[in-house]
Amino acid sequence: MADSIDESKNVPLTDEDLETDNKGKLIKLAGQLRDRRNDLNQMASERASKRDELNAETREKVDEAQHHREKRDELNEQVQEHKQQRNELNAEANELFSEVDEAKSEMDLDGGKSLDQLEEEIEELEFKQQTEVLSAEDERELIEKIESKREQYETRKEKMQDTGDIESLKEEAQEVRSEASRHHQKVTELADEAQEHHNQMIEAYREADDIRDEADEWHEKFVEAQEAADRHHEDFVRVQKRLRELDKKEEEAEKAERAAEQEEARREAEEIYEAFQNGETLDTEDLMKLQKSGLL
């Protein structure tokens, strides 16, 4: 904040001063007004320079804020692009995983016994057939069970051989999901960077406002100094005008005085000349007066 003007250094001038002060006082007063005016003009110039400097800083901060705004908006556009790609890829991955689940369901790979389990059950049944004494009916039932287990085993084995396509589909789905994750990571990184530029933009605008407020204060002080300088200049002009008026009056008074003196000298010379014509003797001073008047 700039200092206020020291009012005690200002030079006052009243109409009474103009009318009553003598020429010497007015000359001194004019010098004081001129000097104070010059000091105030210098002060106003310095304050204007400080104001302009701060306004330039304000513009720089606004430009900086605008740069961060543009960068933020650019990054947010990239965020939206990566979000869209992420969402599209996630949708594609979900569809692929659904196809995998559907294929598994159709092949009944998610349920049922494994090949190892079926093979183990077949071996147990065959061992029972070989080691136990069974009636004809039990023997027949046991053989049927063994055949059924063998059919289950072969069917299951065939299905397992066809799972290559499912695994390939599953790998594709996982790759698509990974690609979506990479876009999600990019979304997070770009969003953080955009937020940082947003924060810097807000800070730059805040600093610009603070500097602009200070520049406005300096402008007010510039106006204050300039108005005071203008007032002193106007008073200086008034005093100068009054001095010219006094000079003119003095000049007119001196002119009138010279005219009166000349008239008196002319009248005296005429009297001397008349005395000379009447035969009176003239002294040296009288002769000089006649010569000065041009009568001799």
Side-chain angles (χ1 to χ4, degrees):
M1 181 64 180
D3 295 333
S4 296
I5 291 175
D6 186 354
E7 298 289 343
S8 66
K9 293 183 178 180
N10 288 345
V11 181
L13 176 67
T14 65
D15 292 339
E16 185 179 356
D17 293 333
L18 284 176
E19 293 299 326
T20 62
D21 283 355
N22 59 38
K23 188 175 179 180
K25 285 185 178 180
L26 290 175
I27 291 174
K28 180 179 180 181
L29 186 58
Q32 293 172 337
L33 287 167
R34 181 196 61 233
D35 293 343
R36 182 58 175 161
R37 176 202 64 190
N38 293 344
D39 289 342
L40 289 167
N41 275 330
Q42 178 64 26
M43 185 185 300
S45 177
E46 292 172 356
R47 293 179 176 188
S49 295
K50 182 64 176 178
R51 175 204 61 196
D52 295 344
E53 177 184 336
L54 290 168
N55 280 332
E57 289 182 21
T58 299
R59 287 191 292 273
E60 289 177 1
K61 282 298 177 181
V62 170
D63 290 343
E64 179 182 338
Q66 186 61 28
H67 165 74
H68 287 300
R69 178 193 292 274
E70 292 172 357
K71 190 63 178 177
R72 179 204 63 184
D73 293 345
E74 176 185 337
L75 289 166
N76 280 334
E77 287 181 5
Q78 294 180 35
V79 166
Q80 294 305 317
E81 291 173 1
H82 284 285
K83 275 186 178 181
Q84 182 177 353
Q85 293 181 58
R86 177 201 63 188
N87 294 341
E88 290 175 356
L89 288 167
N90 274 329
E92 182 181 350
N94 290 338
E95 185 176 346
L96 290 171
F97 277 120
S98 294
E99 291 180 15
V100 170
D101 292 338
E102 184 178 349
K104 283 183 177 181
S105 177
E106 290 176 355
M107 297 177 68
D108 194 24
L109 293 178
D110 290 333
K113 297 178 181 179
S114 66
L115 290 176
D116 290 340
Q117 288 176 319
L118 290 171
E119 189 174 6
E120 184 178 345
E121 289 178 0
I122 291 171
E123 290 177 352
E124 288 176 354
L125 291 173
E126 288 178 342
F127 181 76
K128 183 177 181 180
Q129 182 188 22
Q130 294 173 4
T131 58
E132 294 183 7
V133 178
L134 302 171
S135 65
E137 184 176 352
D138 290 339
E139 178 80 14
R140 182 178 55 78
E141 291 179 355
L142 183 60
I143 291 172
E144 289 178 354
K145 284 184 178 181
I146 292 172
E147 291 298 324
S148 176
K149 291 292 182 182
R150 284 175 177 169
E151 288 178 2
Q152 291 180 29
Y153 179 85
E154 292 299 326
T155 301
R156 186 75 174 177
K157 185 176 181 181
E158 289 176 1
K159 289 182 177 180
M160 292 298 291
Q161 289 174 346
D162 292 336
T163 59
D165 292 341
I166 295 178
E167 289 301 319
S168 176
L169 191 63
K170 184 177 180 181
E171 288 179 4
E172 182 182 356
Q174 289 172 339
E175 288 177 1
V176 173
R177 182 78 78 197
S178 296
E179 180 71 11
S181 297
R182 286 192 290 272
H183 281 287
H184 178 71
Q185 179 64 29
K186 202 66 179 174
V187 165
T188 302
E189 293 173 1
L190 292 171
D192 290 342
E193 189 177 351
Q195 184 61 45
E196 180 61 27
H197 280 286
H198 176 76
N199 295 339
Q200 291 177 345
M201 178 196 73
I202 296 299
E203 178 62 19
Y205 275 130
R206 186 193 64 77
E207 292 178 2
D209 288 340
D210 290 343
I211 297 171
R212 186 183 292 108
D213 289 342
E214 186 179 357
D216 290 343
E217 291 176 358
W218 278 98
H219 179 68
E220 291 176 3
K221 294 303 177 183
F222 156 74
V223 171
E224 179 187 23
Q226 191 62 62
E227 288 179 348
D230 291 344
R231 198 268 295 171
H232 280 76
H233 177 70
E234 290 169 2
D235 286 348
F236 171 75
V237 171
R238 290 173 64 200
V239 172
Q240 289 291 91
K241 181 179 179 182
R242 178 57 179 164
L243 286 170
R244 285 194 297 272
E245 290 174 355
L246 292 177
D247 286 342
K248 186 176 181 180
K249 286 182 179 181
E250 288 182 357
E251 183 179 346
E252 289 176 350
E254 290 175 356
K255 184 178 180 181
E257 184 179 352
R258 286 195 302 271
E261 290 176 352
Q262 290 173 357
E263 178 60 26
E264 176 63 25
R266 186 191 61 76
R267 186 187 57 77
E268 185 179 3
E270 288 178 351
E271 291 177 356
I272 295 171
Y273 185 71
E274 185 179 353
F276 173 71
Q277 286 182 329
N278 292 332
E280 293 184 14
T281 303
L282 304 180
D283 58 20
T284 303
E285 184 178 352
D286 290 337
L287 291 172
M288 291 181 62
K289 288 179 180 179
L290 287 176
Q291 288 178 345
K292 187 175 181 181
S293 67
L295 294 177
L296 184 60

